Amino acid sequence: MSVREYDVVFVGGGLAASLLLKELRKELPGRVAVVDPSPLPTQPSVHWSYWSHERTPYDRFAIGAWQRAKVGDMPPESIAPYTMSLVRSGDVFADLAARLESAPVDWLRTSARSIGSRDDGMYEVSTDAGVLRACWVFDSACDIGPAFPTPHRPGAVLNGTGIRVTSDRPAFDAATATLFDPLDERSFAYLLPLGPDEALLESATFGPVAEKTDAAPLLRYLMDRYPGASFVAPHEESGSIPLGFPPLRTAGPRHVLLGTKRGLVKPSAGYGIVRIVKESEELARLWREHRPLAPSRRDSRPWALLDTGFLQLVGKDPRLPLALLGNVMRAVPLARSLGFIDEQLPPRQLASIFLSALPIVLQSAVRK
């Protein structure tokens, strides 16, 4: 097989790799390659929702933003200082692709098979098109060793389905997002209104494995919640997000994990696109300052214990994590719930949240 040498190889060219490439495009060494069979512009566009208490690079692509929300049938409330936003991934990817168009990068449309270290300090990436050798490897490919999630620690999957709907009459409060409304014992819906007669409605289900989902429960939800209105769903999307713990060891100190594989997708919070952009900025800062880059990311002990417990609940009974989230989000102000999920709350505010979660923890203990 052919062998090519680079200074830096990115294994996986998704969001995390592209954000880091954007941050480093003026500091990149002379030979850089990205290994990914699906370049950014070819990836299907889906909706990403996120909340943040400060501005993010995604905000200019937002097709909706809300500072008021409600949980199920509860009254709306302010979520200040947070803002909930919605973007299309295709808009973000198109912008990143345009910014990187002139970057000195070889885009290799192939699949990587393995990453290993060599005795001379270089790394070797085996691909379907040949072997690549590099001084640095940035790795966001979850299915290549070391794999994500770490096999010997608890893991789960967040399955989701989304539909973009229009109504034949005004049906939605355009200023209020619905963030947690149970569909059944295992799944919940959240509705982000784009106007009085248009909305994005998504469902989420925790489970031990990826599951096939469909839009029928969401359409039934709309008919129950908004009787008298008729809806059409011109757009449907679905996917699964792996949840678990990142590998703590890689092939060496310059084999650096990115994105989900780095641990930026939290079991208790789902897809962390805000975390990914912040980590990209931090890694780029360390690179410019010629400081070591930690190959993986480790949580502080309290949050690691929280994530372990959450994943263990999924393994025992997929209904338990849903019940836990429901208890927490109904027991405390919504802004505090978002801060807790985002790991931003100070210790003095955690007591009321832990008390609301205690019944589910005790219920889990009884089921042992």
Side-chain angles (χ1 to χ4, degrees):
M1 297 181 70
S2 63
V3 177
R4 286 181 281 182
E5 291 195 355
Y6 291 93
D7 295 296
V8 178
V9 169
F10 286 80
V11 179
L15 178 64
S18 299
L19 286 170
L20 185 57
L21 273 168
K22 177 181 73 71
E23 291 291 329
L24 292 176
R25 64 187 185 278
K26 295 181 180 179
E27 290 89 11
L28 286 172
R31 298 168 298 170
V32 179
V34 176
V35 179
D36 196 307
S38 302
L40 290 184
T42 69
Q43 298 187 8
S45 185
V46 297
H47 291 84
W48 294 337
S49 60
Y50 62 94
W51 62 83
S52 178
H53 59 83
E54 56 190 13
R55 289 194 59 79
T56 80
Y58 308 115
D59 294 349
R60 63 194 182 96
F61 304 108
I63 60 174
W66 303 267
Q67 291 191 311
R68 190 174 68 168
K70 64 176 184 173
V71 176
D73 291 325
M74 296 181 68
E77 59 184 282
S78 169
I79 59 172
Y82 292 99
T83 298
M84 187 85 179
S85 302
L86 180 69
V87 299
R88 288 182 289 251
S89 65
D91 296 337
V92 177
F93 286 154
D95 178 75
L96 287 170
R99 289 171 178 262
L100 296 173
E101 189 174 10
S102 60
V105 176
D106 288 346
W107 300 88
L108 307 178
R109 296 188 64 170
T110 186
S111 296
R113 298 302 178 192
S114 65
I115 301 169
S117 59
R118 291 166 47 87
D119 292 339
D120 60 3
M122 299 278 283
Y123 298 91
E124 193 163 274
V125 180
S126 175
T127 78
D128 289 343
V131 174
L132 311 179
R133 290 176 183 162
C135 299
W136 287 85
V137 174
F138 290 101
D139 174 13
S140 56
C142 292
D143 55 345
I144 297 175
F148 174 90
T150 300
H152 62 272
R153 300 191 69 180
V157 176
L158 176 61
N159 302 290
T161 297
I163 54 175
R164 190 159 173 172
V165 299
T166 57
S167 170
D168 64 346
R169 66 195 67 185
F172 309 117
D173 175 2
T176 303
T178 301
L179 299 187
F180 190 94
D181 205 355
L183 289 170
D184 52 42
E185 289 184 311
R186 291 193 56 214
S187 61
F188 63 90
Y190 56 96
L191 187 145
L192 304 178
L194 301 172
D197 57 359
E198 185 179 10
L200 178 76
L201 177 62
E202 300 205 346
S203 67
T205 303
F206 297 101
V209 296
E211 301 176 9
K212 185 177 181 180
T213 57
D214 65 77
L218 294 176
L219 293 171
R220 289 195 296 268
Y221 169 91
L222 289 170
M223 290 186 288
D224 291 341
R225 287 292 189 192
Y226 306 98
S230 297
F231 299 92
V232 294
H235 172 83
E236 181 177 339
E237 60 193 48
S238 62
S240 298
I241 302 172
L243 304 174
F245 292 91
L248 296 181
R249 295 190 179 186
T250 64
R254 295 188 306 281
H255 175 197
V256 179
L257 306 183
L258 299 179
T260 299
K261 196 169 183 177
R262 189 171 180 81
L264 301 176
V265 174
K266 302 292 294 177
S268 55
Y271 195 42
I273 63 170
V274 175
R275 290 189 185 92
I276 290 173
V277 73
K278 289 182 177 180
E279 191 77 354
S280 298
E281 293 170 351
E282 176 64 12
L283 291 173
R285 182 185 68 81
L286 294 173
W287 177 280
R288 296 186 192 102
E289 296 174 357
H290 305 288
R291 296 173 61 185
L293 276 60
S296 187
R297 182 176 182 265
R298 300 190 185 191
D299 281 326
S300 61
R301 185 170 179 81
W303 298 111
L305 290 173
L306 170 68
D307 286 339
T308 298
F310 190 89
L311 292 171
Q312 289 173 340
L313 287 180
V314 177
K316 290 179 180 178
D317 186 339
R319 295 172 296 181
L320 293 177
L322 187 70
L324 185 147
L325 287 173
N327 280 15
V328 169
M329 296 186 78
R330 286 174 171 80
V332 299
L334 188 49
R336 189 179 299 177
S337 296
L338 296 180
F340 172 69
I341 295 172
D342 214 27
E343 301 181 0
Q344 297 285 334
L345 280 190
R348 67 180 182 277
Q349 295 185 8
L350 293 177
S352 59
I353 290 179
F354 286 136
L355 285 175
S356 66
L358 185 59
I360 306 302
V361 175
L362 294 176
Q363 182 181 349
S364 171
V366 170
R367 294 188 185 185
K368 286 184 178 180

